Amino acid sequence: MRVVRGAVWDVAVDIRVGSPTFGRWVGAELSAENFRQLYIPCGFAHGFCVLSEDAEMLYKASHIYSPAHERGILWNDATLQIVWPVAEPLLSERDRRLGTLADYLSGTPFVYGG
């Protein structure tokens, strides 16, 4: 992930069942000014919060986008304890309906192979 205009708070969460860092997260401010990038490997959930008036991001993906395979985890899931820079974000309808990490685990989770 890289921001080419504006700024975002970018978060990755290890959701690989069996991983020694399962459930842990990392966050970083990415902006057009600081040129930072965040690599998010397969088996990690990804979310971000726009910090500026607007933002433009560039990213590469490991697969072609498939809406049928898209899943997510609620941004404020208490078990993850992610520290977000906003208390009440504007969310899409899709993001408001997401479940918790426990809900994700009740489906077909990504299993750590390492």
Side-chain angles (χ1 to χ4, degrees), residues 71 102-109:
R71 298 190 296 172
D103 295 328
Y104 164 78
L105 295 173
S106 69
T108 307

Side-chain angles (χ1 to χ4, degrees), residues 17-73:
V17 174
S19 166
T21 57
F22 176 79
R24 293 189 194 162
W25 63 273
V26 62
E29 183 173 333
L30 309 180
S31 72
E33 287 75 33
N34 70 20
F35 298 101
R36 290 183 177 165
Q37 298 181 42
L38 185 61
Y39 174 72
I40 304 165
C42 289
F44 283 71
H46 172 245
F48 63 91
C49 171
V50 177
L51 302 173
S52 52
E53 186 67 27
D54 59 5
E56 187 173 335
M57 303 166 71
L58 299 176
Y59 61 93
K60 292 184 178 185
S62 57
H63 298 285
I64 295 172
Y65 174 66
S66 170
H69 293 95
E70 186 174 62
R71 298 190 296 172
I73 298 169

